[in-house]
């Protein structure tokens, strides 16, 4: 590998929204900096599953089924 083209890899502290901290190695910031996260696995729906709902706005699923509901992939 070429020397001098890669970013510095050092230890930083990551602070979660609930105040918990851990140390990791990163190219972000400088040695000893603290990264404050706005989201974390205990609060963000991407990790907790959230309460997402699939909404059929404008009847798109019904319209699709009306157009293509009679089609089948099997033999007749």
């Amino acid at each position: 590998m070429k020397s001098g083209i890669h970013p510095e890899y050092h230890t930083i502290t990551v602070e979660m929204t609930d105040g918990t901290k851990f140390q990791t190695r990163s190219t972000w910031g400088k040695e000893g900096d603290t990264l404050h996260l706005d989201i974390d696995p205990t609060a963000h729906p991407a990790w907790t599953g959230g309460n997402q709902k699939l909404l059929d706005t404008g009847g798109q699923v019904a319209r699709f089924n009306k157009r293509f509901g009679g089609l089948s992939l099997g033999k007749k």
Side-chain angles (χ1 to χ4, degrees), residues 16-32:
M16 309 295 251
T17 55
D18 65 355
T20 58
K21 297 179 183 181
F22 66 91
Q23 287 194 332
T24 188
R25 293 184 48 84
S26 175
T27 58
W28 180 87
K30 298 180 185 90
E31 178 78 28

Side-chain angles (χ1 to χ4, degrees), residues 32-51:
D33 280 354
T34 300
L35 174 63
H36 300 278
L37 293 181
D38 293 335
I39 60 172
D40 66 45
T42 60
H44 195 274
W47 287 283
T48 61
N51 53 359

Side-chain angles (χ1 to χ4, degrees), residues 9-14 22-26:
Y9 193 58
H10 50 270
T11 304
I12 64 166
T13 302
V14 178
F22 66 91
Q23 287 194 332
T24 188
R25 293 184 48 84
S26 175

Side-chain angles (χ1 to χ4, degrees), residues 37-69:
L37 293 181
D38 293 335
I39 60 172
D40 66 45
T42 60
H44 195 274
W47 287 283
T48 61
N51 53 359
Q52 296 175 336
K53 295 180 183 176
L54 178 62
L55 298 176
D56 182 16
T57 58
Q60 292 176 353
V61 174
R63 202 171 357 181
F64 178 85
N65 287 336
K66 182 179 177 185
R67 288 180 74 185
F68 302 109

